[in-house]
Amino acid sequence: CPENSNYTSCGSTCPATCNNAAMPADCGASTCVETCECQEGFVLDAGKCIPQAECGCVFEGRLYGLGEEFWGDNTCTKRCVCDAATRTAVCRKASCHAREECRVEQGIQDCYPTSYGNCTAYGTTHYKDFDGGRFIFQGTCVYQFTGLCKKTQDLVDFQVLVQNGQHNNQLLSSIALVKVKVYGKSIVISQKDPNKITVNNQLANLPYHHKRKISVYRSAQDAVVETDFGLTVTYDWQSQVTVVVPGIYADALCGLCGNYNGDVSDDMMMKDGQTTLNPDALGESWKVADVPGCMELSKEQCPTLLEATKQQEVAEKGCGLISKVDGPFSACHALVDPFKYVQSCVHDFCLFPDQQAVVCQQISHYAATCQAAGVTIGNWRTDDFCSISCPANSHYELCSQSCSQICSSIYTPVKCPERCREDCVCDDGFAFSGDECVPMAQCGCLYQGFYYKLGETFHPTKQEKCQCQDNGSVLCEEVPDTDETECKVVDGVTQCQSDTLGTCVVTGDRSYVSFDGLAFEIPGACSYILTETCAGDDSVMSFVVKIEKDSRQKRKVSTVQALSVEVYGLTLTMARGKTGTVMVDSILYNLPAILNGGQVQVHQHGTG
Ligand SMILES: [Ca+2]
């Protein structure tokens, strides 16, 4: 028998529940059944015996949970809450907003939006704001894409930030990072961590759920952040970000996406309320954070645009594909006018002629728009043009509507898309687990809203160490909470480590002291790996530290000429005689430098 119940050979056919009034009137007192009967003071609720005091409220014959909010009528004019103290429903007058209507969706009556606003940035980097305004902005700092500005009680506060990529001091083509701040969570989707996200700086697999308020999942090639109040943010880990907001946010938003008041003439409004025609001025006003070396310097005009247009319009493997009369998108031309898409494709090609990906992103944007409109498109990718390399055990499909081959669908329902999309689909017998296709039997675990791959270990709290095991079960054990172990989030992974640091020292011409204290001498004057993480251990962050000694000349000692650290895909070089600076890849930074969003910090300490 379940908890708080006992077996009886002759129990009531109508045991007491939280809603006794809903019991059939003809409950025969004379008949009895073999059953598990709730103990004294407990009643049956959803198959469990719970204390009677934990029962919810009965309102007009229906049972509601403690604290649950619901509509007390079917026209959404009476909002009720099941009061936990009195266990009765307390109702007040209420109504839907102007841009909402009262209806039933998936069995739930509520106020639902009648319209949605849509703001997109794609390519290098073309913005289309909520009211349809278009501009190009390529600033590489962190900017407010959109967010709530007119705060009211009814609207949930949120903020969406974006950052363009930057590479070797060249403006790179596209949005590289999207940050969604809502309900106290900061969710980052970044080019740097494909197929993953970070939640409050903690690296996480998809899907991720926070109560019933936020859910982040993968849909085709996109990460989708969805909230319970109708905000949807989509980013493809490459270049395209889309924010959809319900109509009640009209005229309450601000940022690069504009105010969403239906009037395009007051878009490109800077933070001080002035409108501008200069996207860089607009961007600068919505800057929320600096990144070392970041700037607003959009390349809007391309001097060779005419030539580029001529070349691309006829190119078999280029922008011309979009509008080609008998091409893969011909069925779409009537529904989605290709003109603007070809234009922005040619524009991006002109700015970045040596980056094929730029053209691919533009064509892919048109392809996705066509598919969203329900058009069947032809195959437009080839092995040597915009090919998608799918991970192991998966294959590319032009029109995929799959939503079942996802491990997490075992535990929580997965939204199936209405229309098909280009996607990498797991081969038969495989399912998507985090960022890879694994045999169905090797699916992972959902635990406290996070998804973990099979075998993955994690620390939900300082005192707990858990592992995802077979069949989705999670085994946790307590870890001794001693002062020597300190847990912290390192690159989004909670790591508990000893706070005693290992130290390895190189001094002078030839002296070395190893981590474990062995002193030895090597007089050589080459480049050496001082230390590096050895392959085979995924649990630690990988890095390499190298030293370069200058070739010994007569009567000169061979001192360390340069020290380089390779970590997080960056190469940091500190060179002799260049005090106060660090070379990051090929760019010289003045100290202190904060890199990769704070993952690497370089600062001067004493004279070093
Ligand atoms: Ca406007």
Side-chain angles (χ1 to χ4, degrees):
C1 282
E3 227 179 322
N4 307 318
S5 69
N6 304 103
Y7 170 78
T8 169
S9 59
C10 181
S12 164
T13 52
C14 315
T17 68
C18 282
N19 189 3
N20 280 328
M23 212 79 78
D26 60 343
C27 246
S30 54
T31 53
C32 68
V33 288
E34 187 180 30
T35 185
C36 290
E37 204 166 54
C38 291
Q39 290 161 7
E40 187 81 31
F42 289 84
V43 292
L44 198 61
D45 185 60
K48 283 184 191 159
C49 290
I50 64 160
Q52 195 157 15
E54 286 176 18
C55 276
C57 311
V58 177
F59 182 82
E60 295 184 350
R62 285 183 62 182
L63 181 69
Y64 296 93
L66 294 180
E68 187 178 341
E69 277 197 43
F70 58 95
W71 291 101
D73 62 351
N74 54 20
T75 52
C76 302
T77 60
K78 196 155 89 173
R79 190 75 177 150
C80 308
V81 61
C82 171
D83 183 68
T86 61
R87 284 169 50 201
T88 52
V90 181
C91 300
R92 61 183 164 86
K93 258 192 158 178
S95 64
C96 293
H97 284 271
R99 287 163 213 261
E100 290 181 329
E101 64 180 9
C102 185
R103 62 170 191 262
V104 178
E105 231 175 60
Q106 292 175 330
I108 297 165
Q109 180 202 327
D110 207 346
C111 295
Y112 292 100
T114 49
S115 62
Y116 288 90
N118 192 318
C119 178
T120 306
Y122 64 97
T124 73
T125 292
H126 305 254
Y127 282 77
K128 189 175 147 275
D129 68 31
F130 287 121
D131 293 328
R134 288 170 184 269
F135 57 92
I136 290 166
F137 174 59
Q138 292 157 346
T140 51
C141 309
V142 182
Y143 308 95
Q144 171 151 324
F145 193 66
T146 186
L148 183 65
C149 283
K150 292 187 185 160
K151 312 219 159 146
T152 68
Q153 248 188 339
D154 310 337
L155 297 175
V156 180
D157 196 7
F158 74 92
Q159 204 184 16
V160 180
L161 310 177
V162 291
Q163 189 197 340
N164 265 44
Q166 192 186 19
H167 185 65
N168 290 344
N169 259 4
Q170 289 279 305
L171 287 173
L172 193 71
S173 37
S174 54
I175 301 266
L177 180 145
V178 175
K179 185 186 269 190
V180 184
K181 290 174 149 184
V182 63
Y183 289 128
K185 300 281 175 194
S186 175
I187 295 160
V188 173
I189 316 161
S190 161
Q191 263 180 10
K192 200 167 59 63
D193 298 310
N195 298 312
K196 297 195 173 197
I197 56 167
T198 62
V199 181
N200 293 355
N201 289 325
Q202 185 164 350
L203 198 67
N205 295 312
L206 293 182
Y208 161 76
H209 301 276
H210 171 58
K211 296 176 181 163
R212 291 187 175 196
K213 293 174 179 289
I214 309 172
S215 93
V216 191
Y217 58 92
R218 191 192 155 94
S219 173
Q221 302 282 296
D222 299 330
V224 183
V225 180
E226 235 175 38
T227 68
D228 61 345
F229 59 91
L231 167 75
T232 307
V233 181
T234 309
Y235 177 56
D236 61 1
W237 284 286
Q238 273 190 38
S239 64
Q240 186 172 332
V241 54
T242 301
V243 173
V244 177
V245 291
I248 51 167
Y249 280 88
D251 207 15
L253 301 176
C254 64
L256 295 171
C257 284
N259 54 8
Y260 185 29
N261 64 348
D263 176 8
V264 71
S265 71
D266 66 356
D267 288 0
M268 295 189 73
M269 192 186 279
M270 296 184 288
K271 206 168 185 177
D272 62 6
Q274 304 277 313
T275 54
T276 176
L277 290 171
N278 178 357
D280 289 338
L282 174 76
E284 206 202 339
S285 83
W286 292 109
K287 179 155 80 183
V288 291
D290 269 312
V291 180
C294 79
M295 59 188 157
E296 290 85 31
L297 192 67
S298 301
K299 286 203 260 178
E300 276 192 86
Q301 302 299 329
C302 179
T304 53
L305 190 63
L306 211 65
E307 279 164 57
T309 311
K310 276 188 198 149
Q311 191 218 338
Q312 284 291 298
E313 271 177 354
V314 293
E316 278 292 316
K317 288 173 180 171
C319 303
L321 213 54
I322 296 176
S323 57
K324 198 177 173 206
V325 177
D326 54 350
F329 306 113
S330 55
C332 187
H333 294 164
L335 270 134
V336 184
D337 186 358
F339 177 71
K340 277 228 158 76
Y341 293 85
V342 175
Q343 221 181 17
S344 70
C345 181
V346 170
H347 171 271
D348 286 6
F349 166 78
C350 185
L351 288 184
F352 303 95
D354 52 345
Q355 293 183 35
Q356 194 192 60
V358 163
V359 169
C360 299
Q361 282 162 12
Q362 287 284 346
I363 304 177
S364 151
H365 178 57
Y366 186 68
T369 313
C370 290
Q371 290 186 317
V375 178
T376 305
I377 59 168
N379 227 325
W380 62 277
R381 297 181 193 266
T382 59
D383 286 344
D384 63 345
F385 180 66
C386 301
S387 67
I388 287 186
S389 67
C390 289
N393 307 315
S394 72
H395 59 277
Y396 166 79
E397 278 184 19
L398 176 66
C399 183
S400 152
Q401 213 160 354
S402 128
C403 57
S404 55
Q405 280 169 306
I406 301 172
C407 280
S408 59
S409 67
I410 302 169
Y411 316 111
T412 52
V414 172
K415 263 206 190 133
C416 294
E418 280 172 45
R419 308 282 197 195
C420 72
R421 303 266 309 268
E422 291 188 90
D423 195 9
C424 286
V425 178
C426 292
D427 297 339
D428 268 353
F430 290 84
F432 211 75
S433 175
D435 56 357
E436 57 183 349
C437 291
V438 301
M440 291 276 195
Q442 289 174 20
C443 277
C445 313
L446 263 193
Y447 189 76
Q448 293 177 350
F450 288 91
Y451 178 83
Y452 299 98
K453 294 195 222 175
L454 180 65
E456 199 172 329
T457 54
F458 54 97
H459 295 267
T461 62
K462 257 189 176 186
Q463 292 82 26
E464 264 182 309
K465 183 186 177 186
C466 301
Q467 188 177 34
C468 168
Q469 302 195 315
D470 285 337
N471 302 319
S473 64
V474 171
L475 190 74
C476 294
E477 59 181 11
E478 271 185 41
V479 273
D481 188 21
T482 59
D483 288 335
E484 284 136 55
T485 58
E486 192 195 350
C487 295
K488 53 183 172 184
V489 176
V490 179
D491 186 40
V493 179
T494 311
Q495 292 184 347
C496 297
Q497 51 194 198
S498 166
D499 63 358
T500 54
L501 299 169
T503 308
C504 165
V505 183
V506 191
T507 44
D509 179 22
R510 62 182 71 190
S511 306
Y512 295 77
V513 181
S514 77
F515 284 116
D516 293 330
L518 180 69
F520 58 93
E521 293 193 339
I522 303 174
C526 307
S527 289
Y528 301 99
I529 293 174
L530 204 54
T531 180
E532 69 176 330
T533 47
C534 289
D537 189 354
D538 290 339
S539 66
V540 295
M541 181 56 55
S542 62
F543 62 84
V544 186
V545 181
K546 290 180 190 164
I547 52 166
E548 196 183 301
K549 299 184 90 178
D550 55 356
S551 42
R552 196 196 293 230
Q553 292 160 358
K554 266 188 188 163
R555 278 186 235 149
K556 268 185 134 186
V557 288
S558 68
T559 50
V560 175
Q561 195 64 16
L563 170 77
S564 75
V565 181
E566 291 164 36
V567 67
Y568 291 115
L570 300 172
T571 304
L572 315 171
T573 310
M574 280 142 281
R576 189 179 163 84
K578 295 199 171 167
T579 313
T581 63
V582 58
M583 182 89 88
V584 181
D585 296 330
S586 56
I587 306 168
L588 198 67
Y589 282 80
N590 289 320
L591 297 186
I594 298 172
L595 307 163
N596 263 24
Q599 285 173 320
V600 181
Q601 302 186 9
V602 192
H603 52 88
Q604 199 158 340
H605 181 79
T607 54

